[in-house]
């Protein structure tokens, strides 16, 4: 009897261990099936700068590879400029909401000083006074982290104009390397960067402003760009090396833990600065030196994409890695030259009124046509200012070579990613998942998207109706962008009922105030500067009264 009891007990233990092993195997299998996610985020890159969208002066073969192997979106939107675009992406909320409701944009430049003059604790206290980390908020990285992912960010600060390690941690990043100040990102030779809150001094870079160059071309400015005194290490190369190193050390095939990596590059945001002109561009006819240098910034970015892709291949993770590529906003002219390219004025020197006249590449002699024939530039609510390139690549899961005309926005990435990695949608967000479109070629579409700008807010519907508001002149203009790509035909008189309905929706999305779609206010973290500004404002108010 004792022997029978022993055999029964042993059998139970074997069965129990066997079941546990099956459960463990299932858990391990589930972990392996979770895809890695790499989000590559360009800065000021209009889609017309890419050869997949028609660029004629140079090629972008690595980005083309993602397009050829995945899905590109022709009707994708970002925001009107850098800081709100990043905040919108990270929060999953559009940028027409009440200021401070979801994010605070501190004024840039607080970290812009020599390393020896940086008081890290003091600066962090000043930033947190106006922009403290928010408790219990869900951010893009939080979604991945809660799903068991390692999360890491590399490059330009992922939020607003100035940040801190506490805010980075609050936003869900396990690891981060790069800039903490937007203004410093205008130069490409930083004397220091940050790694998880620790200042890392960069040998050979001696300019406190990161060697920012003048914006417009001149013989003197040409000399400044090509004087490499105190400019030894280019930031894009530093950041990329750090990311590739991180990928080596955290290879999901070895750690059995997927990662979510976010790479917000400085490129191709100006002012223009490159170590050398790309070989493909050196002998291209019809381009000035400044234009070749700017095009080289795109080529460097394209090469970055290629190296990230190659690292995925080397590590054996490409088949289970989602690569997303987009930009914060539309095109900007960073290569303006007197008598050649005109940015905010006509060839005759008249400023665009953005009602009857607006920027077009063919009229401003923009040789690259970076806004792909659309109207407007960065900071505008014209299509060229806010429509962005968007590519999703997932080998074997997203059918290769697809083009989608579905209406999407970068703040939709949050819940789309949530679907693809197998977690619940984040409730209370503007983010709309289009995962079925990616996996099946077609899915449910959102009815409309909204975005802010310096000119005012705008709304675009899935049918192609667009209503833009010009705050300064109190003017609404209705277009049908599916029939009128260049936004040349105002349709208010023909469709007054459409104007009225879209005005109502836009007002609701702007939380009852159209001015929420205007240029955001900045919150000055430096108390000395703050006092000076308050004194100046009081004096101005007194003189008016």
């Amino acid at each position: 009897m004792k022997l029978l009891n022993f055999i029964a007990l042993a059998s139970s233990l074997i069965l129990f261990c066997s079941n546990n092993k099956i459960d463990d195997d299932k858990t391990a299998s589930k972990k392996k099936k979770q895809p890695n996610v790499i989000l590559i985020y360009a800065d000021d890159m209009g889609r017309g700068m890419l050869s997949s969208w028609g660029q004629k002066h140079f090629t972008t073969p690595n980005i083309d590879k993602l397009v050829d192997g995945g899905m590109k979106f022709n009707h994708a939107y970002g925001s009107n400029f850098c800081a709100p675009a990043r905040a919108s992406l990270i929060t999953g909320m559009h940028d027409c909401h009440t200021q401070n409701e979801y994010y605070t944009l501190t004024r840039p430049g607080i970290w812009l000083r020599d390393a020896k003059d940086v008081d890290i604790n003091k600066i962090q206290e000043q930033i947190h006074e106006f922009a403290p980390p928010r408790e219990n908020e869900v951010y893009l990285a939080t979604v991945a982290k809660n799903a068991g992912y390692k999360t890491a960010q590399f490059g330009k600060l992922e939020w607003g104009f100035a940040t801190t390690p506490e805010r980075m941690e609050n936003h869900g990043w396990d690891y981060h390397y790069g800039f903490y100040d937007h203004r410093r990102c205008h130069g490409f030779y930083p004397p220091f960067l940050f790694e998880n809150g620790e200042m890392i001094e960069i040998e050979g870079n001696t300019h406190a402003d990161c060697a920012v160059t003048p914006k417009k071309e001149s013989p003197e400015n040409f000399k400044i760009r090509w004087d490499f005194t105190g400019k030894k290490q280019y930031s894009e190369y530093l950041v990329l090396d750090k990311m590739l190193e991180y990928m080596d050390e955290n290879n999901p095939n070895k750690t059995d833990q997927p990662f979510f990596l976010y790479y917000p590059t400085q490129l191709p945001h100006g002012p223009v600065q490159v170590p050398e002109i790309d070989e493909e561009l050196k002998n291209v006819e019809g381009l000035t030196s400044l234009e070749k240098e700017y095009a080289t910034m795109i080529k460097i970015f394209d090469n970055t994409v290629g190296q990230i892709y190659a690292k995925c291949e080397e590590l054996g993770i490409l088949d289970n890695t989602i690569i997303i590529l987009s930009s914060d906003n539309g095109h900007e002219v960073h290569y303006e030259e007197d008598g050649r390219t005109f940015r905010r004025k006509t060839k005759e020197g008249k400023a665009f009124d953005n009602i009857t006249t607006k920027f077009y590449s063919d009229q401003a002699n923009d040789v690259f046509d970076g806004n792909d024939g659309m109207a407007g530039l960065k900071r505008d609510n014209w299509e060229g200012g806010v429509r962005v390139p968007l590519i999703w690549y997932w080998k074997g899961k997203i059918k290769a070579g697809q083009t989608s005309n579905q209406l999407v926005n970068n703040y939709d990435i949050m819940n789309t990613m949530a679907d693809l990695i197998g977690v619940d949608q984040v409730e209370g967000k503007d983010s709309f998942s289009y995962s079925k479109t990616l996996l099946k070629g077609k899915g449910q579409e959102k009815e409309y998207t909204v975005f802010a700008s310096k000119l005012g807010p705008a709304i675009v519907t899935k049918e192609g109706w667009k209503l833009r508001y010009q705050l300064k002149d109190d003017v609404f203009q209705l277009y049908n962008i599916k029939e009128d790509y260049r936004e040349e035909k105002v349709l208010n008189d023909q469709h007054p009922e459409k104007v009225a309905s879209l005005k109502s929706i836009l007002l609701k999305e702007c939380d009852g105030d159209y001015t929420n779609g205007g240029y955001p206010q900045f919150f000055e973290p430096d108390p000395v500067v703050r006092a000076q500004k308050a004194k100046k404002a009081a004096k101005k108010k007194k003189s008016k009264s």
Side-chain angles (χ1 to χ4, degrees):
M1 191 70 176
K2 288 182 179 180
L3 179 61
L4 289 175
N5 288 338
F6 174 77
I7 292 172
L9 177 61
S11 298
S12 298
L13 286 172
I14 291 169
L15 181 63
F16 175 76
C17 292
S18 176
N19 286 337
N20 274 357
K21 185 178 186 305
I22 291 171
D23 290 339
D24 289 343
D25 288 345
K26 284 181 178 178
T27 302
S29 177
K30 184 178 178 183
K31 281 185 178 180
K32 281 188 177 181
K33 288 181 181 178
Q34 281 183 300
N36 308 297
V37 182
I38 300 176
L39 172 56
I40 305 171
Y41 200 59
D43 196 350
D44 285 7
M45 190 178 71
R47 69 189 200 183
M49 297 305 299
L50 304 176
S51 45
S52 288
W53 270 275
Q55 180 53 234
K56 305 298 184 187
H57 294 278
F58 57 91
T59 61
T60 50
N62 296 296
I63 296 172
D64 292 350
K65 185 187 293 185
L66 298 183
V67 171
D68 294 341
M71 178 180 285
K72 79 170 184 177
F73 286 80
N74 273 336
H75 211 193
Y77 291 84
S79 297
N80 78 110
F81 81 118
C82 310
R86 283 161 173 72
S88 177
L89 172 75
I90 295 300
T91 60
M93 305 296 290
H94 66 65
D95 61 356
C96 289
H97 287 295
T98 304
Q99 182 77 14
N100 279 341
E101 187 66 26
Y102 299 102
Y103 50 82
T104 305
L105 301 181
T106 53
R107 185 168 293 280
I110 193 168
W111 294 100
L112 191 63
R113 53 198 76 194
D114 287 318
K116 60 181 176 57
D117 297 325
V118 172
D119 185 332
I120 294 178
N121 293 330
K122 183 179 179 181
I123 291 174
Q124 289 178 171
E125 287 174 7
Q126 292 169 0
I127 292 174
H128 290 164
E129 180 184 351
F130 281 95
R134 297 174 185 268
E135 295 183 7
N136 304 317
E137 184 62 77
V138 177
Y139 300 102
L140 185 63
T142 315
V143 174
K145 187 169 184 176
N146 290 345
Y149 281 64
K150 288 185 177 181
T151 61
Q153 183 264 349
F154 305 85
K156 187 168 182 174
L157 69 162
E158 47 83 83
W159 183 278
F161 283 110
T163 195
T164 68
E166 287 81 3
R167 284 164 63 90
M168 298 290 284
E169 183 178 349
N170 175 248
H171 296 162
W173 302 112
D174 298 320
Y175 174 89
H176 48 93
Y177 176 87
F179 292 87
Y180 279 179
D181 190 292
H182 176 94
R183 184 87 58 80
R184 298 184 73 238
C185 296
H186 291 178
F188 289 84
Y189 293 91
F192 61 88
L193 292 171
F194 287 97
E195 184 172 25
N196 291 342
E198 180 184 352
M199 179 187 289
I200 308 297
E201 295 193 46
I202 310 300
E203 184 182 356
N205 291 354
T206 61
H207 298 264
D209 65 355
C210 304
V212 64
T213 57
K215 293 182 179 180
K216 292 180 70 173
E217 183 63 300
S218 71
E220 182 58 33
N221 292 345
F222 177 88
K223 291 179 182 177
I224 292 173
R225 290 198 309 277
W226 292 103
D227 179 359
F228 287 96
T229 305
K231 298 189 293 186
K232 185 177 180 181
Q233 301 194 58
Y234 194 64
S235 55
E236 180 73 2
Y237 301 153
L238 289 167
V239 173
L240 176 61
D241 286 347
K242 188 63 70 169
M243 179 170 171
L244 298 179
E245 178 185 313
Y246 181 93
M247 293 174 71
D248 276 326
E249 294 174 354
N250 296 275
N251 182 353
N253 284 341
K254 293 182 178 179
T255 65
D256 199 29
Q257 184 177 11
F259 55 50
F260 170 47
L261 308 184
Y262 173 44
Y263 191 99
T265 176
Q266 297 165 262
L267 296 170
H269 194 299
V272 174
Q273 180 74 86
V274 294
E276 60 181 345
I277 293 177
D278 185 81
E279 202 63 39
E280 182 185 350
L281 288 152
K282 285 181 178 178
N283 298 314
V284 172
E285 295 182 0
L287 298 181
T288 67
S289 177
L290 185 62
E291 289 164 350
K292 289 179 181 180
E293 293 164 43
Y294 178 75
T296 294
M297 295 172 85
I298 304 284
K299 292 290 291 182
I300 294 173
F301 173 62
D302 181 72
N303 186 57
T304 294
V305 174
Q307 290 192 61
I308 292 171
Y309 184 97
K311 179 59 70 173
C312 289
E313 284 187 310
E314 177 192 326
L315 298 178
I317 62 172
L318 184 63
D319 289 357
N320 196 37
T321 297
I322 299 170
I323 301 176
I324 313 163
L325 186 145
S326 191
S327 180
D328 52 0
N329 47 254
H331 184 52
E332 178 61 297
V333 176
H334 289 296
Y335 41 90
E336 188 176 7
E337 299 183 47
D338 288 336
R340 180 169 175 86
T341 305
F342 309 86
R343 182 170 166 268
R344 295 289 174 183
K345 295 181 180 180
T346 66
K347 294 176 184 178
E348 295 73 33
K350 294 181 180 180
F352 298 122
D353 63 21
N354 282 304
I355 297 177
T356 61
T357 60
K358 48 192 172 285
F359 180 93
Y360 289 110
S361 293
D362 53 1
Q363 296 176 16
N365 200 33
D366 177 7
V367 66
F368 293 122
D369 188 24
N371 59 10
D372 195 19
M374 294 179 284
L377 293 170
K378 172 183 177 180
R379 295 188 177 86
D380 296 342
N381 53 17
W382 302 109
E383 292 294 285
V386 287
R387 219 191 284 196
V388 297
L390 175 63
I391 305 160
W392 284 73
Y393 177 96
W394 189 6
K395 189 175 180 181
K397 301 294 193 301
I398 296 175
K399 187 178 177 182
Q402 296 183 90
T403 297
S404 174
N405 290 315
Q406 181 170 330
L407 176 67
V408 298
N409 197 299
N410 279 344
Y411 58 76
D412 294 326
I413 289 175
M414 175 183 282
N415 273 331
T416 303
M417 183 180 76
D419 266 353
L420 294 176
I421 66 175
V423 298
D424 293 337
Q425 297 276 287
V426 184
E427 296 183 0
K429 299 289 187 178
D430 295 320
S431 185
F432 180 93
S433 173
Y434 50 91
S435 60
K436 288 183 179 178
T437 300
L438 292 167
L439 299 178
K440 298 181 179 180
K442 189 172 179 60
Q444 186 179 358
E445 295 188 47
K446 64 196 296 181
E447 294 298 318
Y448 59 82
T449 192
V450 297
F451 44 84
S453 81
K454 190 173 184 179
L455 302 178
I459 179 171
V460 177
T461 73
K462 67 179 182 180
E463 295 83 14
W465 293 105
K466 176 176 179 178
L467 185 73
R468 64 176 294 270
Y469 182 44
Q470 182 115 330
L471 283 164
K472 178 173 68 72
D473 302 288
D474 191 24
V475 170
F476 286 92
Q477 290 181 315
L478 179 71
Y479 298 90
N480 188 316
I481 57 175
K482 285 193 176 179
E483 299 176 0
D484 180 19
Y485 184 75
R486 286 167 61 90
E487 296 177 274
E488 294 176 312
K489 301 172 185 176
V490 180
L491 302 174
N492 293 43
D493 293 341
Q494 294 93 320
H495 300 279
E497 74 292 340
K498 183 61 67 176
V499 173
S501 65
L502 293 182
K503 280 176 67 175
S504 177
I505 297 171
L506 184 58
L507 183 61
K508 175 178 71 73
E509 293 294 342
C510 289
D511 298 334
D513 186 352
Y514 290 125
T515 62
N516 288 334
Y519 210 60
Q521 302 170 16
F522 300 118
F523 291 81
E524 177 59 64
D526 191 317
V528 176
V529 177
R530 212 162 59 230
Q532 292 172 345
K533 287 178 179 290
K535 187 177 180 180
K536 186 176 180 180
K539 187 177 180 181
K540 186 176 181 180
K541 185 177 180 181
K542 186 176 180 181
S543 65
K544 282 186 176 181
S545 62

